[in-house]
C-alpha cells in the first residue's frame, strides 16, 4: 500500500508487546493510535530507538543569533488538500442586482440603461470614528459633481416600477476648502514621491503566490517589485502589523488607547501618524479599509478623534457595508473595485500634488476564501498603473498584515511559520531610483534579512522623501529600525534585536549533525524520505525497483523557537482566532538531508519536517512529514527510460527493472 505523508514513531519500547520486532521500522505495526494525536497517523513501534533524540537538537535561544529563514514549499499535499472553494472572477456580474450609477473623477453618472431614472443623494456625515449618518437629500442628475465623499443614492424608474438604493463614494475635486488645504505646501517637491499601499488581510508571502498569481507576476516581472523573504510580524492580529507601519511604534509600546481602560485616549492624540507628517509636507492622503465593522483601529481602540486623512473612506464604508447582502459584492461590482477606483481618481484629480494612498482589503482574504476575484481586480489596477506611467514617480506596495490565523493549514508547522511571514512586496519608482542610485540594490540585499513593520515605517518616510529618525524610542527603550532603501539590515539581526517576541519569531536555529549516518534522528528522517519516493513509484512497481536507503551523507537540523512550535490556533463560535499552547510538544523543526539510495546510486536532497512530542501516556513520539519532493542531484541517465512516456515526473526516482545501460554520475 502507498505510505502516508506522515509517520509517527513511538520512541519507547512497549513492555506489553515485546514481540514487536525492529523490522517494524520498514512496515507498519498494528498499534492502536494514541487518541491524543489528531489525524490518526499510523505508528511504527521501535524497540531500540535512542530515546534521547533531543540531544541532537540545537540549543534553543532567542538571543543574538543570525535569523535563518525557513525554506517552505509554495505547495505540498497539505496545502493542496486545503485550498478554498473556487470563486469565479465575475461572480458579482452573475447576480441579479445591478448598480445604476458609477463614480468617476469627482462626478456621478447614471449608467446608460438607467439614464432616465430619477435620483436623490444623501451625503454621508461622519459623527465620530464609530458612526456616521445620512444628511438631507438633494436631487442628483447624471454628470453632477460628487455631492460628498460618500452618499446614498435613491433612484426609481420613470414608471416607478423599479427602485435602487446603494451607497457610493469617491474622491472629490479640490476646492478652496477641500483636500490638501490643511496641509503644508509641497516644498522641495522634486524629492517627494507618491506611494500607493495595497494591503490584504491574512495573506502570507507564499499564499500570495498561490492566490494572486497574476498580480504577483505583474508586480515582479513588469514593475520590478522586490519581495521581502524574512518580513516578520511583531504581534497578534492586524493592529500589531499596521500600527508600526503607520506610526513606527509597536502595539506593545503604544500609549493606552484601548476601550474599557482608564485614561485611554484617541489614537491621534497619543501617537504621531505618518498621515500627519505627509500632510505637513503638502501630500494629499487617502485611507480606506474594508470590513469597517471590525476596523483595525476601532474594534478594540477608540479610533481617531479627527479625520486622519484628506479622503477618509471609513464613514462611507460603514454605511455601504450595512446595505451589502454579502461581503464580496456591491450590486454587480466586486466591493474592492470601488476602493481601487478611488485611488485611481486621487491620482487623476491631483496630478501636481504628492500623494499617499493606503487601502486595506479583507472581504475575501480574511475568511480564507478564494481570491480569484481580487486577483482580477488587482490585475486591472496594475495594468492602469502601468498604462498611466505612474511607475515614473510612484512607488507601489502590495502587502499583508499576517498569514492565515485559522484553518487546517494554520495548525501545521508550515501554517505557523506562514502566519508570521506575511507578504511585503515593494516596487520602487524610477524617480526614486534615479535620486537614490543604490536604493534597489539595498532593498534587494535587505529582502533576505530579518525585517519588521517598524522598518517599513522608516522606509515609507524615505520613499515619500521625508526625513526620519534612525532610532525610535518606545516606553523608555530604544528599538533600532532601518530604512530598507538606505541602510543594510545586519546579517546577524535576531528576533530579539528586532523587537519580535519569541511567540512570533520565524527564525530557525541551525545545527549540522555530525556523523549523520549513525544519528538516529537523521536516519529515521532519511528512511521516511526514501519511503516517500517509493510511494510515488508504487503504481509503477512493475516497471521501477523499490529503493532502499544506502547512506546519509549530510544532515542539518533547523529548530523553531519553542514558543512558535507550541503555538496553536483555535476558533471560537464568534470566529475570533486565539492562541493556546500545545504543552505536549517538546520540539519541532526541519531536517535537511543529503542521502544515497540503492540500487540506483541516486544522490538526493530532501527536507523533512519533524515534531517531537509526548503523548498523554508519557512516551515520546516523533512525527515526520514531507515538506516538498526530494531533489535528485546526480544524473540518472537512462535509468528511467521505462517511465519517460507514461510518468515522466517519476524519472528521478525510477530505476527501471530492464534495459538500464549506464550508471549515475
Amino acid at each position: 500500500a502507498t505510505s502516508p505523508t506522515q509517520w509517527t514513531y513511538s520512541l519507547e519500547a512497549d513492555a506489553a508487546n515485546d514481540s514487536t520486532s525492529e523490522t517494524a521500522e520498514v512496515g507498519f505495526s498494528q498499534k492502536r493510535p494514541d487518541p491524543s494525536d489528531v489525524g490518526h497517523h499510523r505508528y511504527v513501534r521501535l524497540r531500540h530507538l535512542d530515546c534521547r533524540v533531543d540531544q541532537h537538537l540545537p540549543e534553543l535561544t532567542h538571543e543574538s543569533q543570525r535569523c535563518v529563514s525557513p525554506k517552505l514549499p509554495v505547495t505540498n499535499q497539505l496545502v493542496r488538500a486545503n485550498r478554498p472553494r473556487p470563486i469565479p472572477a465575475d461572480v458579482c456580474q452573475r447576480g441579479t442586482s445591478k448598480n445604476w450609477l458609477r463614480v468617476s473623477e469627482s462626478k456621478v453618472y447614471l449608467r446608460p440603461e438607467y439614464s432616465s431614472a430619477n435620483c436623490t443623494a444623501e451625503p454621508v456625515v461622519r459623527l465620530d470614528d464609530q458612526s456616521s449618518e445620512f444628511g438631507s437629500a438633494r436631487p442628483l442628475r447624471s454628470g453632477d459633481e460628487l455631492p460628498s465623499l460618500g452618499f446614498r443614492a435613491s433612484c426609481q424608474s420613470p414608471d416607478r416600477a423599479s427602485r435602487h438604493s446603494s451607497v457610493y463614494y469617491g474622491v472629490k475635486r479640490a476646492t478652496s476648502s477641500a483636500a490638501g488645504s490643511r496641509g503644508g505646501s509641497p516644498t522641495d517637491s522634486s524629492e517627494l514621491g507618491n506611494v500607493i499601499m495595497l494591503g490584504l488581510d491574512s495573506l502570507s508571502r507564499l499564499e500570495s503566490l498561490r492566490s494572486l498569481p497574476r498580480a504577483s507576476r505583474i508586480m515582479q516581472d513588469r514593475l520590478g517589485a522586490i519581495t521581502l523573504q524574512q518580513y516578520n510580524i511583531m504581534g497578534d492580529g492586524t493592529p500589531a502589523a499596521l500600527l508600526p507601519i503607520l506610526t513606527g511604534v509597536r502595539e506593545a509600546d503604544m500609549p493606552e488607547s484601548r476601550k474599557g481602560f482608564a485614561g485611554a485616549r484617541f489614537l491621534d492624540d497619543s501617537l504621531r501618524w505618518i498621515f500627519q507628517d505627509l500632510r505637513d509636507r503638502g501630500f494629499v492622503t487617502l485611507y480606506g479599509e474594508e470590513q469597517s465593522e471590525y476596523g483595525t483601529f476601532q474594534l478594540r481602540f477608540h479610533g481617531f478623534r479627527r479625520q486622519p486623512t484628506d479622503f477618509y473612506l471609513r464613514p462611507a464604508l460603514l454605511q455601504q457595508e450595512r446595505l451589502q447582502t454579502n461581503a464580496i459584492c456591491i450590486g454587480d461590482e466586486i466591493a474592492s473595485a470601488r476602493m481601487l477606483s478611488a485611488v485611481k481618481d486621487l491620482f487623476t484629480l491631483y496630478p501636481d500634488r504628492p500623494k499617499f494612498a493606503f487601502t486595506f482589503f479583507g472581504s475575501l482574504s480574511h475568511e480564507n476564501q478564494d481570491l480569484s476575484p481580487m486577483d482580477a481586480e488587482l490585475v486591472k489596477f496594475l495594468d492602469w498603473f502601468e498604462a498611466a506611467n505612474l511607475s515614473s514617480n510612484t512607488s507601489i506596495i502590495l502587502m499583508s498584515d499576517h498569514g492565515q490565523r485559522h484553518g487546517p493549514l494554520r495548525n501545521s508547522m508550515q501554517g505557523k511559520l506562514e502566519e508570521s511571514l506575511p507578504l511585503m512586496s515593494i516596487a520602487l519608482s524610477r524617480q526614486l531610483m534615479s535620486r537614490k542610485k543604490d536604493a534597489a540594490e539595498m532593498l534587494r540585499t535587505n529582502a533576505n534579512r530579518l525585517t519588521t513593520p517598524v522598518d517599513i515605517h522608516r522606509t515609507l518616510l524615505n520613499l515619500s522623501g521625508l526625513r526620519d529618525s534612525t532610532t525610535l524610542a518606545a516606553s523608555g527603550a530604544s528599538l533600532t529600525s532601518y530604512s530598507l532603501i538606505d541602510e543594510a539590515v545586519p546579517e546577524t539581526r535576531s528576533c530579539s534585536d528586532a523587537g519580535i517576541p519569541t511567540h512570533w519569531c520565524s527564525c530557525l536555529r541551525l545545527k549540522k549533525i555530525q556523523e549523520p549516518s549513525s544519528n538516529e534522528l537523521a536516519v529515521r528522517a532519511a528512511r521516511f524520505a526514501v519511503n516517500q519516493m517509493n510511494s510515488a513509484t508504487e503504481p509503477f512497481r512493475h516497471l521501477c525497483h523499490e529503493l532502499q536507503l544506502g547512506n546519509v551523507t549530510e544532515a542539518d537540523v533547523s529548530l523553531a523557537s519553542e514558543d512558535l512550535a507550541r503555538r496553536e490556533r483555535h476558533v471560537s463560535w464568534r470566529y475570533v482566532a486565539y492562541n493556546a499552547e500545545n504543552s505536549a510538544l517538546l520540539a519541532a523543526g526541519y531536517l535537511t538531508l543529503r542521502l544515497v539510495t540503492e540500487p540506483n546510486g541516486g544522490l538526493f536532497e530532501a527536507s523533512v519536517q519533524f515534531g517531537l512530542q509526548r503523548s498523554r501516556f508519557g512516551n515520546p513520539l516523533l512525527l515526520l512529514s514531507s515538506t516538498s519532493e526530494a531533489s535528485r542531484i546526480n544524473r540518472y541517465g537512462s535509468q528511467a527510460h521505462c517511465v519517460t512516456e507514461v510518468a515522466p515526473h517519476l524519472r528521478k526516482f525510477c530505476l527501471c527493472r530492464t534495459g538500464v545501460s549506464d550508471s549515475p554520475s
Side-chain angles (χ1 to χ4, degrees), residues 451-473:
T451 52
T452 71
V454 178
D455 299 324
I456 299 303
H457 178 76
R458 286 202 54 221
T459 304
L460 286 176
L461 292 173
N462 282 277
L463 287 175
S464 305
L466 275 63
R467 295 179 180 178
D468 66 278
S469 174
T470 300
T471 302
L472 300 170

Side-chain angles (χ1 to χ4, degrees), residues 162-333:
S162 302
R163 296 178 183 273
H164 170 73
S165 180
S166 185
V167 172
Y168 295 83
Y169 63 85
V171 171
K172 283 181 63 65
R173 196 183 315 273
T175 64
S176 59
S177 60
S181 62
R182 290 166 291 180
S185 60
T187 56
D188 301 325
S189 58
S190 62
E191 294 189 1
L192 301 180
N194 306 321
V195 177
I196 296 174
M197 297 191 74
L198 306 175
L200 284 86
D201 201 341
S202 303
L203 191 74
S204 71
R205 176 178 60 83
L206 292 179
E207 186 58 41
S208 72
L209 300 177
R210 304 174 195 125
S211 295
L212 303 175
R214 297 168 61 205
S216 297
R217 282 195 298 271
I218 294 174
M219 284 289 292
Q220 178 178 316
D221 298 342
R222 285 161 46 185
L223 301 179
I226 297 169
T227 301
L228 304 186
Q229 304 296 304
Q230 293 184 251
Y231 177 64
N232 202 116
I233 62 176
M234 305 183 81
D236 193 12
T238 306
L242 299 192
L243 267 167
I245 289 175
L246 298 175
T247 69
V249 177
R250 295 182 303 176
E251 181 183 5
D253 301 321
M254 65 180 291
E256 186 59 75
S257 298
R258 292 173 295 174
K259 295 176 180 177
F261 286 79
R265 304 165 66 192
F266 288 101
L267 290 168
D268 48 338
D269 290 338
S270 59
L271 291 166
R272 177 76 179 181
W273 292 75
I274 193 171
F275 306 127
Q276 297 167 275
D277 295 325
L278 293 165
R279 288 175 62 191
D280 286 350
R281 291 294 302 275
F283 277 72
V284 182
T285 55
L286 178 147
Y287 172 35
E289 180 180 344
E290 287 185 339
Q291 294 190 306
S292 56
E293 182 182 356
Y294 307 105
T296 300
F297 305 118
Q298 293 81 23
L299 183 63
R300 292 192 292 111
F301 303 105
H302 285 290
F304 299 98
R305 180 192 299 275
R306 298 165 290 275
Q307 179 172 302
T309 56
D310 295 304
F311 297 105
Y312 187 44
L313 305 184
R314 177 173 171 78
L317 287 167
L318 279 169
Q319 297 294 345
Q320 172 195 285
E321 291 171 1
R322 287 170 187 157
L323 293 177
Q324 284 181 239
T325 56
N326 66 69
I328 301 175
C329 302
I330 308 170
D332 54 2
E333 290 179 281

